[in-house]
Amino acid sequence: MWRSLYLILPVLLLGALLPATAAASDAASRTAVFAGTGLWVDIYDETIKDPQFVVDEAVAHGIQTIYVETSNYHSPADVMYPEQIREMISLAHANSIKVVPWYLPGYRNIALDRRRFAAAVNVGGADPIDGLGVDIEADIVRNRQLRANRAAAMVRWLRATYPDLPMAGIVPRDALAWWRIFPYAAIRANTDAMLPMCYTSRYLTPAQTTAMTAACVTTIREQTGDPAAPVHVIAGVTDFLKPRLLVAAARGAKSAGAMGFSLYNLETTTPAGWRAIDVWRAPTG
C-alpha cells in the first residue's frame, strides 16, 4: 500500500503541474487575439452589409482584427446580417485577419442573452470565430447591485461554457461613474483582455486627450488589481474628433503600454484615423 503510494505520488504531482503549464500557454494565446490593431463594425453601420469593403480596408491599413457586432439585447434577431458576417469571416481568414464578434447583453432576460452569445460564438459555422467580445455597458437593469451581479455571472457562465475561446470584456471608460458598482475583478478573472471604450471629447486639448487615454489604461489595471492586465484601447468616436485628437489618443494608449489600439468605428474613420493607427504601431524611439 505505502510502496504503491510512493510510486503514484510523483505521477500525481506531475499531472497537477502539467495543466497549469498548459493553461498558462493557452491564456497567452487567447490574449494574443486582442493584441495589435483593430477596426470596429456595428449593426447600424452600412459597412456591415459589404464584407468585401470591410476586409479590403483591414488589408489596406494593416489591421489585425475585425470586431463585428452580431446583435444586442433589443435587436429583432439573435444575429443581424448573418450571411454578411459569415462572408466577412471567410474573407478575413483568407487574408490572415482575425474576426471577433461582439454582443451587447441587457441582463434583464438572461436566457435571451445566453442564446445570443451562443449565436455569436457559432456565427462562423464551419469557419470558427477567433474570439468573443462581451460588451458590458447596458444599464436597463436599474438596481445597481443586481446589474453588477448579473454581469459578473454572465462572464463566469461564458468562461465555463467556452473555456478555450478567447474572450474580452468591452467596458466603458468611466464604468464606475456610469454603473456605480462595476464587476471589474470578475470580468478580468473570466476574460483574456480588457477593451475599454476610451471615447474622448472634441473639446479637450491634445495633451488632455493623451492623458485621458493613458489614464483609461491605468484605471483598468487599478480597478482589476492586475498591474499587468492586457488592455486594448478603443478610441473615438472618430466622427467627433479632430485629426490631432485621434493622434493624441494613439499616443496616450502607447505611452501607457496598451497591447492593442483601434478606433470606433470603421464607417466614420477618415485618413486621419488611419494615421492615428500608424502612430500607435510605430516603433518607439
Side-chain angles (χ1 to χ4, degrees), residues 19-33:
T21 304
S25 175
D26 290 345
S29 297
R30 293 196 305 265
T31 297
V33 168

Side-chain angles (χ1 to χ4, degrees), residues 176-235:
L176 287 177
W178 193 331
W179 275 32
R180 303 295 182 185
I181 302 170
F182 199 78
Y184 276 109
I187 296 167
R188 176 67 191 106
N190 293 283
T191 60
D192 304 295
M194 301 288 280
L195 278 61
M197 295 173 271
C198 299
Y199 305 152
T200 186
S201 166
R202 71 182 76 183
Y203 302 110
L204 296 183
T205 66
Q208 289 170 329
T209 299
T210 296
M212 184 280 291
T213 309
C216 192
V217 177
T218 56
T219 296
I220 290 288
R221 292 172 174 163
E222 290 167 0
Q223 293 296 330
T224 60
D226 181 359
V231 179
H232 176 123
V233 166
I234 312 167

